[in-house]
Amino acid sequence: MPYPESHRGFLTRTQVERLRKAIDPKHVDKKQGKLSYIAQHEARAELTRIFGYGNWDSEVVEMSFLFEYEVDPTHPEYPRDRDGKPKSDAKPLYYRACYRAGVRLNIRDYWGRPVCSFTEYHVELNSILPDRGEAHAMAVTSVESYAFRRAAIGLGDRLGLGLYDGGKETALVAGTLQITDKESPLYLPPAEPTQSQGTDRIQGAMNVAADQR
């Protein structure tokens, strides 16, 4: 079935087949040895592999500063040794900053027509850092990265959807009606059997019938 004329773009069957595959285990990392996630650079690379250069983009729709606080030697988060005393090599003062970000991921087809968009949000509080500017920079880049990767899971398992199901690396979606529904422009009817295949099928049926006598 040919692709219909539409202001909205369409993914190809090959792109859909790629998206419904499970995530590549080599792209899965673990935060603190427990939480499974796909690194931002791997997500961006996979988006380019599937949709091509220039056929996807992400935009920050919100970046809001929420709060910051200082961590001095009296604070429970201050670096301490095994005896609970402030570490001798620790800085006099540390900082933590928290931001909220929203990121929209836009997907286009090979002809530049918009296919879909996904918008997700995240809040992130960075680890303590001795430089106030670096604390804010880390919080901003980290919260944007999380929101971006959350938006990407709208595209399914290849971009990490299954990881939200207890860290599973198997395909959660597995299949889609886009491929099997006859009304879909991606539907590919089964190939007609060749004459030799048809003859072999008839002969096989005759052999089964003869064996059952």
Side-chain angles (χ1 to χ4, degrees), residues 88-109:
S88 58
D89 59 346
K91 302 295 182 181
L93 195 62
Y94 291 85
Y95 300 89
R96 297 193 79 179
C98 183
Y99 283 80
R100 179 179 66 237
V103 173
R104 179 179 295 121
L105 176 63
N106 302 306
I107 303 298
R108 294 178 291 275
D109 66 11

Side-chain angles (χ1 to χ4, degrees), residues 43 97 114 133 160 196-197 199 202:
S196 61
Q197 289 175 329
T199 303
I202 295 174

Side-chain angles (χ1 to χ4, degrees), residues 71-73 77-81 85-94 128 130:
V71 177
D72 61 22
E77 295 178 355
Y78 193 82
R80 301 179 184 280
D81 57 25
K85 298 179 180 180
K87 287 187 175 181
S88 58
D89 59 346
K91 302 295 182 181
L93 195 62
Y94 291 85
I128 60 174

Side-chain angles (χ1 to χ4, degrees), residues 6 14 111 143 158 166 171:
S6 173
T14 301
W111 295 269
V143 73
R158 196 65 183 176

Side-chain angles (χ1 to χ4, degrees), residues 95 97 126-141:
Y95 300 89
N126 72 289
S127 302
I128 60 174
L129 287 171
D131 185 281
R132 187 178 184 183
E134 289 182 359
H136 282 262
M138 175 176 284
V140 167
T141 55

Side-chain angles (χ1 to χ4, degrees), residues 5-196:
E5 291 294 330
S6 173
H7 67 280
R8 173 184 174 274
F10 292 88
L11 300 181
T12 66
R13 184 184 176 93
T14 301
Q15 288 175 317
V16 172
E17 290 281 9
R18 175 67 171 249
L19 287 172
R20 75 186 188 93
K21 288 183 178 180
I23 191 172
D24 188 336
K26 298 193 299 293
H27 298 166
V28 179
D29 292 325
K30 289 188 180 295
K31 185 176 183 180
Q32 298 175 347
K34 297 180 181 180
L35 181 63
S36 298
Y37 70 97
I38 178 174
Q40 178 181 194
H41 67 278
E42 292 291 1
R44 290 180 177 274
E46 189 66 12
L47 286 167
T48 301
R49 295 184 191 109
I50 297 173
F51 304 108
Y53 294 102
N55 289 333
W56 71 271
D57 65 75
S58 62
E59 54 182 316
V60 178
V61 297
E62 179 189 350
M63 182 63 71
S64 301
F65 168 66
L66 299 182
F67 62 86
E68 73 165 356
Y69 61 83
E70 298 177 348
V71 177
D72 61 22
T74 65
H75 197 281
E77 295 178 355
Y78 193 82
R80 301 179 184 280
D81 57 25
R82 294 182 178 180
D83 297 327
K85 298 179 180 180
K87 287 187 175 181
S88 58
D89 59 346
K91 302 295 182 181
L93 195 62
Y94 291 85
Y95 300 89
R96 297 193 79 179
C98 183
Y99 283 80
R100 179 179 66 237
V103 173
R104 179 179 295 121
L105 176 63
N106 302 306
I107 303 298
R108 294 178 291 275
D109 66 11
Y110 290 138
W111 295 269
R113 295 178 300 181
V115 175
C116 56
S117 295
F118 302 94
T119 305
E120 292 289 345
Y121 294 79
H122 189 72
V123 173
E124 182 75 6
L125 177 66
N126 72 289
S127 302
I128 60 174
L129 287 171
D131 185 281
R132 187 178 184 183
E134 289 182 359
H136 282 262
M138 175 176 284
V140 167
T141 55
S142 181
V143 73
E144 179 184 349
S145 173
Y146 270 93
F148 168 77
R149 285 175 286 156
R150 286 184 62 84
I153 66 173
L155 291 165
D157 295 298
R158 196 65 183 176
L159 275 299
L161 176 62
L163 298 179
Y164 285 76
D165 185 21
K168 295 179 182 177
E169 297 178 9
T170 54
L172 182 62
V173 176
T176 171
L177 288 174
Q178 281 179 300
I179 295 174
T180 59
D181 187 348
K182 293 182 180 180
E183 300 300 318
S184 169
L186 296 184
Y187 174 72
L188 185 65
E192 292 292 334
T194 62
Q195 183 175 0
S196 61

